[in-house]
Amino acid sequence: MKCSIFCIPTASPADLNGLKKLIIDGQINPHEVISVIGKTEGNGCVNDFTRGFSVEVLKNFFESQLHEKVDSKISFVMSGGTEGVLSPHLTVICRSEHGDSTEADRKQKALSVGVARTETILPEYLGRMEQVKMVAAAVQKAMKDAGIDNPQDVHFVQIKCPLLTAPRIKQVKEKNGSVVTEDTYKSMGYSRGASALGVAVALGEIEVSSLRNEDICHSFQYYSNVASTSAGIELMECEIVVFGNSLKASGDLFIEHEVMKDAIDAQAVQQLLEKADGAKVIQVLAKAEADPSGFVRGRRHTMMEDSDINHTRHARAVVGGVIASLVGDPMIYVSGGAEHQGPSGGGPIAAVFRRG
Amino acid sequence: MKCSIFCIPTASPADLNGLKKLIIDGQINPHEVISVIGKTEGNGCVNDFTRGFSVEVLKNFFESQLHEKVDSKISFVMSGGTEGVLSPHLTVICRSEHGDSTEADRKQKALSVGVARTETILPEYLGRMEQVKMVAAAVQKAMKDAGIDNPQDVHFVQIKCPLLTAPRIKQVKEKNGSVVTEDTYKSMGYSRGASALGVAVALGEIEVSSLRNEDICHSFQYYSNVASTSAGIELMECEIVVFGNSLKASGDLFIEHEVMKDAIDAQAVQQLLEKADGAKVIQVLAKAEADPSGFVRGRRHTMMEDSDINHTRHARAVVGGVIASLVGDPMIYVSGGAEHQGPSGGGPIAAVFRRG
Amino acid sequence: MKCSIFCIPTASPADLNGLKKLIIDGQINPHEVISVIGKTEGNGCVNDFTRGFSVEVLKNFFESQLHEKVDSKISFVMSGGTEGVLSPHLTVICRSEHGDSTEADRKQKALSVGVARTETILPEYLGRMEQVKMVAAAVQKAMKDAGIDNPQDVHFVQIKCPLLTAPRIKQVKEKNGSVVTEDTYKSMGYSRGASALGVAVALGEIEVSSLRNEDICHSFQYYSNVASTSAGIELMECEIVVFGNSLKASGDLFIEHEVMKDAIDAQAVQQLLEKADGAKVIQVLAKAEADPSGFVRGRRHTMMEDSDINHTRHARAVVGGVIASLVGDPMIYVSGGAEHQGPSGGGPIAAVFRRG
Amino acid sequence: MKCSIFCIPTASPADLNGLKKLIIDGQINPHEVISVIGKTEGNGCVNDFTRGFSVEVLKNFFESQLHEKVDSKISFVMSGGTEGVLSPHLTVICRSEHGDSTEADRKQKALSVGVARTETILPEYLGRMEQVKMVAAAVQKAMKDAGIDNPQDVHFVQIKCPLLTAPRIKQVKEKNGSVVTEDTYKSMGYSRGASALGVAVALGEIEVSSLRNEDICHSFQYYSNVASTSAGIELMECEIVVFGNSLKASGDLFIEHEVMKDAIDAQAVQQLLEKADGAKVIQVLAKAEADPSGFVRGRRHTMMEDSDINHTRHARAVVGGVIASLVGDPMIYVSGGAEHQGPSGGGPIAAVFRRG
């Protein structure tokens, strides 16, 4: 197996020109694409349809290329919100089952990516232990798919998960069910949080038995160091993409991670870049959140009390700027809302590098 | 003469508790305050009244302390917008006419601050050469006030300037006059731009004869390396505060500057911090803007096309995050809209340091 | 007793020119002012400081006029948010203890206004039964102050109430207390809801024994037909202004009310205007809210799912437009967030009329 | 010829369920669809991709139904922004070439709809006389298509036109061309204005010889009483749909119009509804704008100075509310930005009625 990654700038959520060019040039084989992770220019919140738009055009395109349904073949994970310098783009992940070398010859682990998805998360399960467990099972499936046995070799787990909308809430209430929250914006946080805890459970970072419904989006001492979850109106199940290093994979790419302790943790970014060991940064993937304490380094911030701009938008702008300033490139993946993803106020950051 | 600087966190635009405590503690003598530069938590745009609110309570407070009008004694310069990690605060600048030592004894230049203000900028003059010239004259007055002869010793010039509002525009049109723009938000840019060019003219960075009305907010090759201008609805004239180093001043503070080439120029920030030469950072003052080209480091950004969030807000979030991540403190002054303040897309940054 | 009402346009939250003119002209006696109810141009949400700004300048002004503290003499109730055509203004309410006639002579009830305020609402009491009961007691005090015995004669009860902020929440949690919500924006709803239920309890619209904490902002079948409550960051207690008609009051003003069943209930507005019976509309006071069901007249609305604009802002724009189009004047008082104020999705509307 | 109209609620910009049901039920023949006019839930401004998303899915759907390209067959005109009570929906317009009766038999004119489109509007032509003339020619083509000779029989002309984006502006400047404005949001106004003047020219409301570039978006005494124009990022030419009554058309539908003098002109709405003469309202189409004078009925409004919410969004919320309150239905078409469409601050309003 060999995994490769292509970062493609986009001129709009529907722009496929860059992708088409790489296919024509023979760099991307559409049959080998297993996931497309993108940043689109919506608000990244409840009424952001740029994610759905992008997925729609990508799906149609790949279906026209592959002449079959791609829902179960390609995992499309769009994260809305290119605040500040963040630049809209697609990260296309390909996997060829034929590597450059045999496993026996390999001395170094190489980038390996696996995918999986859960069943539909019913609106009444969203943000609750049911979602945690469904995600945990799917993460383990994706690890297997990536040829990774040791959780230590997992460096980033990207999950796209659903959210509650007014009609979905109405539906549940009509059958006398209950939802975790009736605030649609807040439901995005619950879904992200439950998904992240699912990752932590799958990787042994947390025991599932120690978690209860009440912990989700409340007990932030529980978190995963590698989970990155993102909620969108356009899907009803969770899509999981596991990134790690494996001897089963060949090629010159590898991935490492660090944890940003807060939104301005330049040191964590620098430590991650030092792991390059001479290799070139290909892509950075990170999570951002406004510190729920209302303070960063002891100073009051106003992100949580801004009724004009949602705090996820503020946080992406900051973390995007901090990372871009050190990496030297604003075309990176920074996604908002880091509930149970890294410590409270911080978040995981991973980088894919290319050797020599 | 001796200048000192106090950075005081605020809990709201009307919060004077920190200031009052420093006065009670004897650290600030209200009679020595010459300027208060603050960050308030509004949107920093046209309908931001937090600046006016803050100035109102500060003025009332100082008048109750000094038992006289303070309009011509203290320059209040509030910049709205604490996006991202930026933390609301006041920077209080004091000047005692009695230094620690005689000028003859001094071997090192120390921080020196001078103030001045223009006459009322008529709405029809705003954003035009009339404003440039009025500001240039006032900057030279402020330099003299600071005891600075050499423009090289000027490291930051903070200006607060007026903007156009619908009623002001109406007024001008009723007497058949013209205004530079009828877009109130855009008028903030013209006012900031003309003020910055006034600084450049005063410091010899640009010849006044080479400038015309059409250059303002268009010919961005003309800029000042030390101007920082900010527009507000609450005033009709320009208030100027010049920061520099002078042998006429005593004390352990000094100021240095750099120019950020773009919003993510971490290198410029680090170069500035290296000028500390062991001294401690007391406060950082910087300007931020969304690159008007629509690109940062060759990557498309979406700040100019975001109809939900003004680009000044995006830019402050990014530059605030970048600087805070390197300085380690989010309670810094970052003001938006850097027309003719540093190169296009970048902006000046200055730091006040305290020697050992 | 005689009550009078003056509607004064303002050019900004700090504009006192109109008020000063009416005082100079002798129309308003500052000693007789008991309340100022205003619309200011902020976002009307958590980080809206225009309300506090306006109250600050009004307070300072009246204190300079009356040479005494006015906190317990004048109730300042500012509602932020002049979306759409709504026009910023102040409604100044005066009460002279000397009427035009003796009570015995009067044949018609006239406008009568009474004021009261609660103790500080502790953050842990906000949005809970404690607040309901404190408000109910204060409403009855205000009725007595207005000389109104019969709850049927009460046509509008305006309340300004506090909200939770990050620091206030932190405070409570540090002493192991709990708050009704940790979402600051949502806390505004809880405070408005509890205050409205307090009115309903005071007027006998609901039995206090039938209410529990869980009903607040959930059981919307409980509501008051005349409550109008508004939350602001600038106060910690509830200020109550009761409007009604009383034989104890003289003058040519009177007040009536109706209940809008939804945001576009033009019929209710017209029914209210018909109660004028030839009298002239002096001022309209109304509440607005986005129907929490997500539907208006069976049609889906998107106000609750808009992450760029809070639903209270949408609702004020709509209801302000509907009423202004029928009254013919956009300088009316429409305040957002009508939890337990009128039926779900609708709200109370009152008008003060002047007889021929 | 016979024209019919179907108003279909949508659950999202990509929701085709209602449309599909009507096709399955045999009410809509996809081969007869000539235009789809919709309201989508974006911000209706520069970065609103909901319009493009909706057009994308509609196009794909119709192409799958008709087995041919539909670009030149169906005019898709999406208007973003469902502020306040406005409800997302599609208005599908069908035209059968076979009427219910022969022209000779007809005594009453019936609804007749014609379509046309311009060539690509080059970015340097946008908002200038070139666009005016191109639109005027296309409107006359659409009238002919509708079988309407007399401009008096035209009651609504819906146009979708392009806007400037940063890349398009860059393009023009690279070849040393000029654009009407470099403010992308403002370009939407110029494009709408030039298109509306094109309608006025086509219908003889204004002589083309009396217009110059400088008049566009400045000389608002020039306007059309029936133009409704809307700008979108997703197209480069103008699409025109002319609505009128014609003896060449059969059926029980007809259309009438009025002009709202301002955003709260309830009287104009009522006059239009009176033209029903017993017929039932099928759909209402209207334009909204914030009065550029800054005043409505002599009262200051704050829509132009709101840096958090674009004035087009405020205006749609108000006009949508006013019309919905009188028509009793919020699923109406209200589009923002009425430059040269009706008098300044007002806008055209049309209604399609069904006879008994």
Side-chain angles (χ1 to χ4, degrees):
Chain A
M1 165 177 40
K2 184 184 169 184
C3 293
S4 46
I5 274 183
F6 299 87
C7 298
I8 308 170
T10 50
S12 84
D15 176 23
L16 300 176
N17 290 333
L19 173 61
K20 286 176 179 171
K21 198 176 174 309
L22 286 173
I23 291 175
I24 291 167
D25 290 357
Q27 294 196 58
I28 289 179
N29 175 348
H31 293 271
E32 294 178 359
V33 173
I34 56 169
S35 179
V36 183
I37 294 179
K39 285 296 315 171
T40 56
E41 55 253 75
N43 62 25
C45 303
V46 176
N47 63 330
D48 180 354
F49 297 95
T50 60
R51 296 173 297 216
F53 189 10
S54 192
V55 168
E56 175 83 13
V57 295
L58 282 165
K59 236 186 208 167
N60 287 344
F61 171 72
F62 279 106
E63 291 184 357
S64 76
Q65 292 275 313
L66 306 186
H67 307 293
E68 60 173 318
K69 287 279 163 203
V70 297
D71 284 321
S72 56
K73 275 189 61 90
I74 305 180
S75 178
F76 299 102
V77 184
M78 294 296 137
S79 155
T82 55
E83 293 81 7
V85 295
L86 289 172
S87 190
H89 69 280
L90 299 174
T91 301
V92 177
I93 299 145
C94 301
R95 191 168 77 178
S96 160
E97 298 311 322
H98 310 287
D100 302 329
S101 55
T102 61
E103 194 177 338
D105 294 341
R106 287 173 210 145
K107 296 193 182 104
Q108 283 183 310
K109 290 174 182 169
L111 176 71
S112 179
V113 183
V115 294
R117 68 180 57 210
T118 66
E119 302 286 297
T120 291
I121 309 284
L122 296 178
E124 48 270 54
Y125 288 174
L126 189 138
R128 292 176 168 159
M129 286 306 295
E130 285 90 344
Q131 187 177 356
V132 173
K133 290 172 192 166
M134 288 168 83
V135 168
V139 169
Q140 292 187 323
K141 234 172 96 187
M143 281 175 66
K144 192 162 291 177
D145 185 52
I148 300 177
D149 303 320
N150 187 347
Q152 303 280 350
D153 284 327
V154 174
H155 292 284
F156 206 69
V157 181
Q158 176 59 44
I159 296 181
K160 189 80 192 203
C161 48
L163 52 84
L164 296 178
T165 59
R168 289 173 197 167
I169 293 170
K170 210 185 154 200
Q171 228 173 67
V172 172
K173 291 175 83 176
E174 277 168 6
K175 38 180 186 169
N176 288 316
S178 83
V179 288
V180 70
T181 176
E182 294 186 22
D183 179 327
T184 54
Y185 179 69
K186 221 168 177 175
S187 78
M188 301 175 81
Y190 277 103
S191 186
R192 289 187 301 252
S195 296
L197 290 172
V199 174
V201 165
L203 300 183
E205 297 174 292
I206 305 172
E207 286 293 312
V208 69
S209 58
S210 63
L211 289 178
R212 281 171 310 171
N213 276 336
E214 303 81 73
D215 292 317
I216 301 171
C217 287
H218 283 103
S219 311
F220 288 118
Q221 72 274 25
Y222 296 119
Y223 62 85
S224 167
N225 284 305
V226 295
S228 162
T229 67
S230 175
I233 204 170
E234 68 277 10
L235 78 179
M236 291 298 293
E237 65 286 331
C238 294
E239 300 189 344
I240 286 110
V241 187
V242 162
F243 293 79
N245 298 320
S246 167
L247 270 179
K248 295 214 172 65
S250 69
D252 51 6
L253 299 179
F254 65 99
I255 184 166
E256 295 290 345
H257 82 276
E258 269 296 328
V259 176
M260 290 177 75
K261 278 185 286 294
D262 59 26
I264 54 171
D265 188 358
Q267 216 180 345
V269 182
Q270 279 161 332
Q271 280 165 1
L272 174 61
L273 294 177
E274 281 159 19
K275 292 182 178 173
D277 200 23
K280 206 187 148 219
V281 178
I282 296 302
Q283 177 59 306
V284 178
L285 305 144
K287 287 298 297 189
E289 79 173 355
D291 199 306
S293 72
F295 291 82
V296 171
R297 306 267 170 115
R299 303 300 194 186
R300 179 171 75 98
H301 69 76
T302 60
M303 296 186 263
M304 314 299 287
E305 305 192 358
D306 189 334
S307 303
D308 297 312
I309 304 178
N310 267 303
H311 55 79
T312 46
R313 306 203 72 184
H314 281 285
R316 277 190 297 267
V318 171
V319 174
V322 169
I323 299 175
S325 78
L326 296 170
V327 172
D329 190 339
M331 204 171 82
I332 53 183
Y333 179 85
V334 176
S335 158
E339 300 83 354
H340 302 293
Q341 300 151 66
S344 194
I349 175 170
V352 176
F353 301 97
R354 169 165 289 132
R355 285 192 186 91
Chain B
M1 166 175 42
K2 185 184 168 183
C3 292
S4 47
I5 274 184
F6 300 87
C7 298
I8 308 170
T10 50
S12 85
D15 176 22
L16 300 176
N17 290 334
L19 173 60
K20 286 177 180 170
K21 196 175 174 312
L22 286 173
I23 291 175
I24 289 167
D25 290 356
Q27 295 196 59
I28 290 179
N29 176 347
H31 293 271
E32 293 178 358
V33 174
I34 57 170
S35 180
V36 183
I37 294 179
K39 285 296 315 170
T40 55
E41 56 253 76
N43 62 24
C45 302
V46 176
N47 64 330
D48 180 355
F49 297 96
T50 58
R51 297 173 296 217
F53 188 11
S54 192
V55 168
E56 174 83 11
V57 296
L58 282 165
K59 235 187 209 167
N60 288 344
F61 172 71
F62 278 106
E63 290 184 358
S64 75
Q65 292 275 313
L66 306 186
H67 306 292
E68 61 174 318
K69 287 278 163 203
V70 296
D71 283 320
S72 57
K73 276 188 61 90
I74 305 179
S75 178
F76 299 103
V77 184
M78 294 297 136
S79 157
T82 54
E83 292 81 8
V85 294
L86 289 171
S87 189
H89 69 281
L90 300 173
T91 301
V92 177
I93 300 145
C94 301
R95 192 167 77 179
S96 159
E97 297 312 321
H98 309 289
D100 301 329
S101 55
T102 62
E103 194 176 340
D105 294 341
R106 286 171 211 146
K107 296 192 181 104
Q108 282 182 312
K109 289 175 183 167
L111 176 71
S112 178
V113 183
V115 294
R117 68 179 58 208
T118 67
E119 302 285 298
T120 291
I121 310 284
L122 295 179
E124 48 270 54
Y125 288 173
L126 188 138
R128 290 174 170 161
M129 286 306 295
E130 286 89 344
Q131 186 179 355
V132 173
K133 290 172 192 166
M134 289 168 81
V135 167
V139 168
Q140 292 187 322
K141 235 173 95 187
M143 281 174 67
K144 191 163 290 174
D145 185 52
I148 300 176
D149 303 320
N150 187 348
Q152 303 278 352
D153 285 327
V154 174
H155 292 283
F156 206 69
V157 181
Q158 176 59 44
I159 296 181
K160 187 80 191 204
C161 49
L163 53 84
L164 297 178
T165 59
R168 288 173 197 167
I169 293 169
K170 212 186 154 201
Q171 227 173 67
V172 172
K173 292 176 83 175
E174 276 169 6
K175 39 180 186 168
N176 288 314
S178 81
V179 287
V180 69
T181 177
E182 295 186 23
D183 179 327
T184 54
Y185 178 68
K186 221 170 177 173
S187 78
M188 301 177 80
Y190 277 103
S191 185
R192 289 188 300 250
S195 296
L197 290 172
V199 174
V201 165
L203 301 183
E205 297 175 293
I206 306 170
E207 285 293 311
V208 69
S209 60
S210 64
L211 289 176
R212 281 171 310 173
N213 276 337
E214 302 82 75
D215 293 317
I216 301 170
C217 287
H218 284 103
S219 312
F220 289 119
Q221 71 273 25
Y222 296 119
Y223 61 84
S224 167
N225 284 305
V226 295
S228 162
T229 68
S230 175
I233 204 171
E234 67 279 10
L235 80 178
M236 291 297 293
E237 66 285 330
C238 295
E239 300 189 344
I240 286 110
V241 187
V242 163
F243 294 79
N245 299 319
S246 167
L247 270 180
K248 294 216 171 65
S250 68
D252 51 5
L253 299 178
F254 65 98
I255 185 167
E256 295 290 344
H257 83 276
E258 268 297 327
V259 176
M260 290 176 75
K261 278 185 286 294
D262 60 24
I264 54 171
D265 188 357
Q267 217 181 344
V269 182
Q270 277 160 334
Q271 279 165 1
L272 175 61
L273 293 178
E274 282 159 17
K275 292 182 180 174
D277 201 23
K280 205 187 149 218
V281 179
I282 298 302
Q283 176 60 306
V284 178
L285 305 145
K287 287 299 297 191
E289 79 174 356
D291 199 306
S293 73
F295 292 82
V296 171
R297 307 267 170 115
R299 302 299 195 187
R300 178 170 76 98
H301 68 76
T302 61
M303 295 185 263
M304 315 298 286
E305 304 192 359
D306 189 335
S307 301
D308 298 312
I309 305 179
N310 268 302
H311 55 79
T312 46
R313 306 202 72 182
H314 281 286
R316 276 190 298 267
V318 171
V319 175
V322 169
I323 299 175
S325 78
L326 297 169
V327 173
D329 190 340
M331 204 172 80
I332 53 183
Y333 180 87
V334 176
S335 157
E339 299 85 355
H340 303 293
Q341 301 150 65
S344 194
I349 175 170
V352 176
F353 300 98
R354 169 164 289 132
R355 285 191 186 93
Chain C
M1 164 176 41
K2 184 183 170 183
C3 293
S4 46
I5 274 184
F6 299 87
C7 298
I8 308 170
T10 50
S12 85
D15 176 21
L16 300 177
N17 290 333
L19 173 61
K20 285 176 180 172
K21 199 178 172 309
L22 286 173
I23 290 175
I24 289 168
D25 291 357
Q27 296 195 58
I28 290 178
N29 176 348
H31 293 272
E32 294 178 357
V33 173
I34 57 168
S35 180
V36 183
I37 294 179
K39 285 296 314 171
T40 56
E41 56 253 74
N43 61 24
C45 302
V46 176
N47 63 330
D48 179 353
F49 297 95
T50 60
R51 297 174 296 217
F53 189 9
S54 193
V55 168
E56 174 83 11
V57 296
L58 282 165
K59 235 187 208 168
N60 287 344
F61 172 71
F62 278 106
E63 290 184 357
S64 75
Q65 291 276 316
L66 306 187
H67 306 292
E68 59 173 319
K69 286 279 164 202
V70 296
D71 284 320
S72 56
K73 274 190 62 89
I74 305 179
S75 178
F76 299 103
V77 183
M78 295 295 135
S79 156
T82 55
E83 292 80 7
V85 294
L86 289 171
S87 190
H89 70 279
L90 299 174
T91 301
V92 177
I93 299 144
C94 301
R95 191 167 78 178
S96 160
E97 298 311 321
H98 308 288
D100 302 330
S101 55
T102 60
E103 195 177 338
D105 294 341
R106 287 173 209 143
K107 296 190 182 108
Q108 283 184 309
K109 289 176 182 169
L111 176 71
S112 179
V113 183
V115 295
R117 68 179 56 210
T118 66
E119 302 286 298
T120 292
I121 310 284
L122 295 179
E124 48 269 54
Y125 288 173
L126 188 138
R128 291 174 168 160
M129 285 306 295
E130 285 89 346
Q131 187 178 354
V132 173
K133 290 173 192 166
M134 288 168 82
V135 168
V139 168
Q140 292 187 323
K141 234 172 96 186
M143 280 175 67
K144 191 162 290 176
D145 185 51
I148 299 177
D149 302 320
N150 187 347
Q152 303 280 352
D153 284 327
V154 174
H155 292 284
F156 206 70
V157 181
Q158 175 59 43
I159 297 181
K160 188 80 191 203
C161 49
L163 53 83
L164 297 178
T165 59
R168 289 174 197 166
I169 294 169
K170 211 185 153 200
Q171 229 172 66
V172 172
K173 292 175 83 175
E174 275 168 7
K175 38 181 186 171
N176 288 315
S178 83
V179 287
V180 68
T181 176
E182 294 186 24
D183 180 326
T184 55
Y185 178 68
K186 222 170 177 172
S187 78
M188 301 176 80
Y190 276 103
S191 185
R192 289 188 300 252
S195 296
L197 290 173
V199 174
V201 165
L203 300 183
E205 297 174 292
I206 306 171
E207 284 294 312
V208 69
S209 59
S210 63
L211 290 177
R212 280 170 312 171
N213 276 336
E214 302 82 73
D215 293 317
I216 301 171
C217 287
H218 284 102
S219 311
F220 288 119
Q221 71 273 26
Y222 296 119
Y223 61 85
S224 167
N225 284 305
V226 295
S228 162
T229 68
S230 175
I233 204 170
E234 68 277 9
L235 78 178
M236 291 297 294
E237 65 284 331
C238 294
E239 299 188 346
I240 285 110
V241 188
V242 162
F243 293 79
N245 298 320
S246 167
L247 271 180
K248 294 217 171 65
S250 69
D252 52 5
L253 299 179
F254 66 100
I255 184 166
E256 295 290 344
H257 82 275
E258 269 297 328
V259 176
M260 291 176 75
K261 278 185 285 294
D262 60 25
I264 53 171
D265 188 358
Q267 217 181 343
V269 182
Q270 278 160 334
Q271 279 165 1
L272 175 61
L273 294 178
E274 281 159 19
K275 292 184 179 173
D277 201 22
K280 205 185 150 222
V281 179
I282 297 303
Q283 177 61 307
V284 178
L285 306 144
K287 287 298 296 190
E289 79 173 354
D291 198 307
S293 73
F295 291 82
V296 171
R297 307 267 170 116
R299 302 299 195 187
R300 180 171 73 99
H301 69 75
T302 61
M303 297 186 262
M304 314 298 287
E305 304 192 358
D306 188 335
S307 303
D308 298 313
I309 304 179
N310 268 304
H311 55 79
T312 47
R313 306 202 72 182
H314 281 285
R316 276 190 298 267
V318 172
V319 175
V322 169
I323 299 175
S325 78
L326 297 170
V327 174
D329 190 340
M331 203 172 82
I332 53 183
Y333 180 86
V334 177
S335 158
E339 301 84 354
H340 303 294
Q341 301 149 65
S344 194
I349 175 170
V352 176
F353 301 97
R354 169 164 290 133
R355 286 192 185 92
Chain D
M1 164 174 45
K2 184 183 170 184
C3 293
S4 48
I5 275 185
F6 300 87
C7 297
I8 308 169
T10 50
S12 85
D15 176 22
L16 300 177
N17 289 334
L19 173 60
K20 286 176 180 171
K21 198 177 173 309
L22 286 173
I23 291 175
I24 290 168
D25 291 356
Q27 296 196 57
I28 291 179
N29 175 349
H31 292 272
E32 293 179 358
V33 173
I34 57 169
S35 180
V36 183
I37 294 179
K39 285 296 315 170
T40 55
E41 56 253 75
N43 62 24
C45 301
V46 177
N47 63 329
D48 180 355
F49 297 95
T50 59
R51 297 174 296 217
F53 188 11
S54 191
V55 169
E56 175 83 12
V57 295
L58 282 165
K59 235 185 209 168
N60 288 344
F61 171 71
F62 279 106
E63 291 184 357
S64 75
Q65 292 274 314
L66 307 186
H67 305 293
E68 61 173 318
K69 286 278 162 202
V70 297
D71 283 320
S72 56
K73 275 189 62 90
I74 305 179
S75 179
F76 299 103
V77 183
M78 294 296 136
S79 157
T82 54
E83 293 80 8
V85 293
L86 289 171
S87 189
H89 69 281
L90 300 174
T91 301
V92 177
I93 299 145
C94 301
R95 191 168 78 178
S96 159
E97 297 311 321
H98 309 288
D100 302 328
S101 56
T102 61
E103 195 177 339
D105 295 340
R106 287 174 208 142
K107 296 195 181 104
Q108 283 183 309
K109 290 175 182 167
L111 176 71
S112 178
V113 183
V115 296
R117 68 179 60 209
T118 66
E119 302 286 298
T120 291
I121 310 284
L122 295 179
E124 48 270 54
Y125 288 173
L126 188 137
R128 290 175 170 159
M129 286 305 296
E130 286 89 346
Q131 187 178 353
V132 173
K133 290 172 191 165
M134 289 167 81
V135 168
V139 169
Q140 292 187 324
K141 235 172 95 186
M143 281 174 67
K144 191 162 290 175
D145 185 52
I148 300 177
D149 303 318
N150 187 346
Q152 303 281 351
D153 284 327
V154 174
H155 292 284
F156 206 69
V157 182
Q158 176 59 43
I159 297 182
K160 188 79 193 203
C161 49
L163 53 85
L164 297 178
T165 59
R168 289 173 196 167
I169 294 170
K170 211 186 155 201
Q171 229 174 66
V172 172
K173 293 176 82 175
E174 275 168 8
K175 37 180 186 168
N176 288 314
S178 82
V179 287
V180 70
T181 176
E182 295 187 21
D183 180 326
T184 54
Y185 178 69
K186 221 170 178 173
S187 79
M188 300 177 81
Y190 276 103
S191 186
R192 289 188 300 251
S195 296
L197 290 172
V199 175
V201 165
L203 301 183
E205 298 174 294
I206 306 171
E207 285 292 312
V208 69
S209 60
S210 64
L211 289 176
R212 281 171 311 172
N213 275 336
E214 303 81 74
D215 293 317
I216 301 170
C217 287
H218 284 103
S219 311
F220 288 118
Q221 71 274 26
Y222 297 119
Y223 61 84
S224 167
N225 284 306
V226 295
S228 162
T229 68
S230 174
I233 204 170
E234 67 278 10
L235 79 178
M236 290 299 292
E237 64 286 331
C238 294
E239 300 188 345
I240 286 110
V241 187
V242 163
F243 294 79
N245 299 319
S246 168
L247 270 180
K248 295 216 171 64
S250 68
D252 51 5
L253 299 179
F254 66 99
I255 185 167
E256 296 290 345
H257 83 275
E258 269 297 327
V259 176
M260 291 176 76
K261 279 185 285 295
D262 60 23
I264 53 172
D265 188 358
Q267 216 181 344
V269 182
Q270 277 159 335
Q271 279 164 2
L272 175 60
L273 294 179
E274 282 159 18
K275 292 182 180 175
D277 200 22
K280 204 185 149 220
V281 179
I282 297 302
Q283 177 59 306
V284 179
L285 305 144
K287 287 298 296 190
E289 80 175 354
D291 198 307
S293 72
F295 291 82
V296 171
R297 307 267 170 114
R299 303 299 195 186
R300 179 170 77 97
H301 69 75
T302 61
M303 297 185 262
M304 315 298 286
E305 305 193 357
D306 189 335
S307 302
D308 298 313
I309 304 179
N310 268 302
H311 55 79
T312 46
R313 306 201 73 182
H314 282 285
R316 276 191 298 267
V318 171
V319 175
V322 169
I323 299 175
S325 78
L326 297 170
V327 173
D329 190 340
M331 203 172 81
I332 53 181
Y333 180 86
V334 176
S335 158
E339 300 84 355
H340 303 292
Q341 300 150 66
S344 195
I349 175 170
V352 176
F353 300 98
R354 169 164 290 132
R355 284 192 186 92

